[in-house]
């Protein structure tokens, strides 16, 4: 007759069996001893079969012929000047007009280039007289002249030195652009013209 198992050992054995039962029900026990004493392995999980993706066939690109290749556009050529600018025509006579502000007397006269012309106490000397070129927007006359203030000499007295009253360009289309600034007289350009050819003397009979 075997000795009786202590009560403590029975309680421990019951706890051990209960723990094994709980682990088995939750699936945490992965191997149990087999009939030969070796642990039994769990069956491998089933894997999804590989998906076979067919390789697409390469796309054949047709060759480009030389005719289909567009030629590069030529570089724009720089605009070349068609010709030299047209120069203004020069004339040898300027037609001027002067006004006496005190007496309201107005006189139109001609002044040849390089020859001084007197009007009262003013002396006009035209240096150049030109007309606008055909390619200019305004048909104008332009004269470069000087105006000196010099009263006429009194008999028996020396002539006074001239005092310059104006020097520059006058424009026939814009008299107020460069006006003569004088307290008594006013003057402006009318036009430029060529000198009349000399009249040939009639042959003697």
């Amino acid at each position: 007759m075997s000795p009786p198992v202590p009560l403590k050992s029975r309680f421990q054995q019951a706890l051990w069996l209960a723990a094994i039962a709980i682990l088995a029900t939750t699936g945490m026990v992965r191997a149990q001893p087999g009939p030969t004493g070796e642990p039994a392995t769990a069956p491998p999980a089933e894997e999804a079969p590989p998906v076979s993706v067919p390789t697409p066939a390469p796309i054949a690109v047709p060759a480009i012929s030389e005719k289909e290749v567009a030629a590069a556009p030529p570089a724009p050529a720089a605009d070349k000047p068609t010709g030299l600018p047209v120069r203004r025509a020069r004339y040898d006579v300027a037609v001027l007009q002067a006004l006496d502000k005190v007496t309201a007397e107005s006189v139109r006269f001609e002044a040849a280039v390089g020859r001084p012309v007197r009007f009262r106490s003013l002396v006009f000397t035209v240096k150049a007289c030109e007309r606008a070129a055909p390619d200019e927007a305004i048909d104008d006359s332009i004269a470069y002249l000087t105006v000196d203030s010099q009263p006429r000499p009194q008999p028996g007295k020396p002539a006074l030195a001239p005092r310059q009253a104006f020097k520059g360009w006058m424009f026939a289309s814009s008299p107020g652009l460069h006006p003569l600034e004088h307290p008594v007289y006013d003057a402006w350009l009318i036009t430029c013209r060529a000198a009349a050819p000399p009249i040939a003397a009639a042959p003697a009979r």
Side-chain angles (χ1 to χ4, degrees):
M1 184 173 179
S2 59
V5 180
L7 180 61
K8 184 177 180 180
S9 296
R10 290 182 180 178
F11 182 73
Q12 291 179 353
Q13 186 176 6
L15 289 176
W16 183 77
L17 291 176
I20 291 176
I22 292 172
L23 291 176
T25 55
T26 57
M28 297 184 64
V29 177
R30 297 187 178 275
Q32 295 294 335
T36 58
E38 297 179 357
T41 58
E46 294 184 1
E47 296 181 358
V51 179
S52 59
V53 178
T55 304
I59 301 174
V61 179
I64 301 175
S65 62
E66 296 182 358
K67 295 181 179 180
E68 296 177 350
V69 178
D79 296 336
K80 296 182 180 180
T82 56
L84 296 176
V86 182
R87 298 186 62 181
R88 293 176 175 174
R90 290 207 164 187
Y91 297 86
D92 47 9
V93 175
V95 180
L96 302 169
Q97 187 157 346
L99 171 67
D100 188 331
K101 299 178 184 179
V102 177
T103 62
E105 181 184 359
S106 178
V107 176
R108 181 173 294 191
F109 59 94
E110 296 182 353
V113 174
R115 298 182 61 180
V117 176
R118 175 179 289 274
F119 170 73
R120 304 288 175 88
S121 62
L122 299 181
V123 178
F124 295 80
T125 304
V126 180
K127 305 293 186 179
C129 199
E130 355 180 287
R131 296 286 296 272
D135 57 348
E136 294 188 55
I138 301 176
D139 184 13
D140 200 1
S141 295
I142 309 101
Y144 186 84
L145 68 155
T146 60
V147 181
D148 296 326
S149 177
Q150 186 182 23
R152 293 180 184 272
Q154 297 294 330
K157 293 183 180 180
L160 298 177
R163 181 175 57 85
Q164 191 174 81
F166 177 84
K167 181 180 180 181
W169 292 93
M170 283 189 177
F171 298 83
S173 62
S174 303
L177 186 60
H178 293 140
L180 169 65
E181 296 181 358
H182 193 274
V184 179
Y185 303 107
D186 196 1
W188 57 92
L189 174 67
I190 300 300
T191 187
C192 298
R193 71 169 184 83
I199 301 175
R205 292 183 179 178

